[in-house]
Amino acid sequence: MNLRIPGPTPCPPEVLAATAREMVDHRGPEFGSALKRVSSGLKEAFRTANDVLILTASGTGGLETAVVNTLSPGDEVLAVSIGNFGDRFASIAKTYGADVTKLAFPAGQAADLAAIDEALGKNSRVKAVLVTHNETSTGVTNPLQQIAEIVRRHDALILVDAVSSMSSIPCDVDAWDLDVVVSGSQKGWMVPPGLAFVSFSPRAWQANESARMPRFYLDARKAKESLEKNQTPWTPAVSLVFGMEVALDMLEAEGWANVYARHQRCADLARQGAQRLGLKLLADPAFASNTVTAVWSPEGVNVSELRKILREQYDTVVGGGQGDLTGKIFRIGHLGLVHEADVQAAIDALAQALPKAGYAPVAAARG
Ligand SMILES: Cc1ncc(COP(=O)(O)O)c(C=O)c1O
């Protein structure tokens, strides 16, 4: 099956074999060395000297960890949202009692730097800015480095959802001075869902000392203290940590620069392929994501029907739209274990499925 959704992503057989290993004592030396290896690999991937916590949780659990460990109820938060996952980050902060101001931008657009600067300039009480690096619901990558520079000037924390970018698109935690950064195993890491990775800067740990939002399972300090002993506070997803060991070996052997370049090539192919079929892309081309491409469904084509034809007749699975974009777009995932041939195969399948869904592609799928 050509699984072209933006996560969970296909896993290499070597990773799947590692996840099928027999259990070990999660307080013993074997698991300790696996956790240590994954922890150091994550630091390299995040390009940080900060702690990178390994939690048994999905990406949302990582976002919740970022919020509850740095903030107190009543704290003012600026939530920059360019789509569904930006909205979710804002909702988490609201749920725990933060005073959230949402700065939302239209679907397909990146966040506007001047608007962020203005919002922070108007309110010096903002304690933290929440921002999505790569908005999976629209296929847009925010200019995170520039956003971070603005946030830094206004002396607020920057909490980043890098769930669908980290490991596939450069995200330089220390050079960009990012405070809390979250990713999830089922995206570019080529591992099944179930682990969240969360880096904390010294500034974030300082905020943690006075942060009063309630937390127990997601207490980052407990995770940090355990990680120092190559353990986790609670029983971890042992199998996924074994999978991560192998996945990191593979990604590091390829070389991070090559991994990023491969994602760029696959994304270029997805965008060009869809456009060659006469389809329109949702994302502003200047900020189009290298991990997911959102495509407007052509007039008269039912997205569910198109996805069904792709799945049943061409063994190809693409994502649908989320929220307001449900029924209007479909999304092609190209992250993790993905090569040009996989993307081309998806475009070829699309070229054949579209006429069956009521749309005649304007050109052949291959250029
Ligand atoms: C940008 C982004 N943020 C957050 C999440 C939520 O992660 P999860 O579904 O693992 O909880 C996702 C997952 O699709 C995502 O793509």
Side-chain angles (χ1 to χ4, degrees):
M1 188 220 288
N2 194 1
L3 183 63
R4 298 269 58 91
I5 59 171
T9 60
C11 302
E14 298 89 330
V15 169
L16 293 176
T19 64
R21 273 176 63 183
E22 180 57 286
M23 282 302 100
V24 295
D25 175 8
H26 66 297
R27 305 280 179 220
E30 209 172 357
F31 183 73
S33 85
L35 200 67
K36 191 171 172 192
R37 190 272 175 265
V38 172
S39 169
S40 72
L42 285 169
K43 282 185 181 217
E44 192 184 315
F46 276 56
R47 296 180 191 231
T48 186
N50 293 340
D51 303 294
V52 185
L53 308 177
I54 301 164
L55 312 174
T56 297
S58 79
T60 306
L63 298 180
E64 193 157 324
T65 301
V67 169
V68 301
N69 285 281
T70 54
L71 296 168
S72 299
D75 277 350
E76 296 201 32
V77 167
L78 181 71
V80 177
S81 178
I82 61 168
N84 223 40
F85 291 106
D87 291 349
R88 183 180 299 183
F89 212 175
S91 298
I92 294 169
K94 222 178 203 167
T95 300
Y96 280 96
D99 183 354
V100 178
T101 302
K102 198 142 107 184
L103 186 60
F105 298 91
Q109 301 298 307
D112 179 63
L113 300 174
I116 296 173
D117 198 18
E118 191 189 331
L120 290 172
K122 270 199 229 152
N123 185 357
S124 60
R125 291 180 310 280
V126 170
K127 176 100 187 275
V129 176
L130 313 183
V131 61
T132 318
H133 184 201
N134 185 75
E135 179 50 73
T136 321
S137 68
T138 60
V140 172
T141 305
N142 265 321
L144 183 58
Q145 184 177 7
Q146 289 97 314
I147 293 172
E149 279 165 18
I150 294 168
V151 175
R152 204 71 308 136
R153 274 208 309 279
H154 291 279
D155 207 22
L157 292 170
I158 178 163
L159 313 185
V160 179
D161 173 347
V163 170
S164 63
S165 54
M166 187 64 83
S167 80
S168 311
I169 298 172
C171 183
D172 224 324
V173 170
D174 285 359
W176 300 355
D177 206 4
L178 308 172
D179 291 310
V180 183
V181 182
V182 179
S183 190
S185 56
Q186 81 277 25
K187 303 289 184 179
W189 304 96
M190 316 190 297
V191 169
L195 293 178
F197 313 122
V198 191
S199 72
F200 273 73
S201 71
R203 206 181 291 109
W205 285 124
Q206 205 183 336
N208 176 256
E209 282 171 21
S210 56
R212 291 290 162 261
M213 282 185 180
R215 52 191 177 266
F216 188 86
Y217 183 75
L218 299 177
D219 189 329
R221 197 159 285 277
K222 287 197 186 92
K224 175 181 163 63
E225 283 162 9
S226 290
L227 193 60
E228 280 157 12
K229 296 178 279 179
N230 296 319
Q231 289 191 13
T232 54
W234 332 114
T235 308
V238 171
S239 310
L240 300 181
V241 173
F242 287 155
M244 269 300 284
E245 261 192 301
V246 174
L248 284 167
D249 284 348
M250 294 175 79
L251 292 164
E252 288 170 9
E254 184 177 355
W256 286 110
N258 295 328
V259 172
Y260 301 147
R262 174 166 55 79
H263 282 81
Q264 173 80 62
R265 290 195 306 274
C266 286
D268 286 343
L269 196 58
R271 295 189 276 258
Q272 287 157 13
Q275 285 176 307
R276 203 170 293 128
L277 296 176
L279 303 173
K280 299 215 166 359
L281 307 182
L282 170 62
D284 175 345
F287 299 98
S289 166
N290 280 353
T291 60
V292 54
T293 295
V295 184
W296 287 110
S297 179
E299 193 73 34
V301 169
N302 178 312
V303 177
S304 309
E305 182 60 22
L306 175 65
R307 291 179 65 214
K308 185 163 181 267
I309 295 169
L310 282 168
R311 189 173 59 246
E312 291 179 355
Q313 298 180 32
Y314 300 99
D315 213 17
T316 298
V317 181
V318 299
Q322 295 178 321
D324 292 345
L325 292 168
T326 306
K328 296 182 181 161
I329 61 163
F330 59 90
R331 294 173 301 147
I332 305 168
H334 33 79
L335 72 167
L337 180 61
V338 63
H339 293 92
E340 284 98 319
D342 306 307
V343 176
Q344 187 58 56
I347 297 293
D348 290 348
L350 201 51
Q352 295 181 61
L354 278 165
K356 297 185 179 177
Y359 168 83
V362 295
R366 285 171 193 271

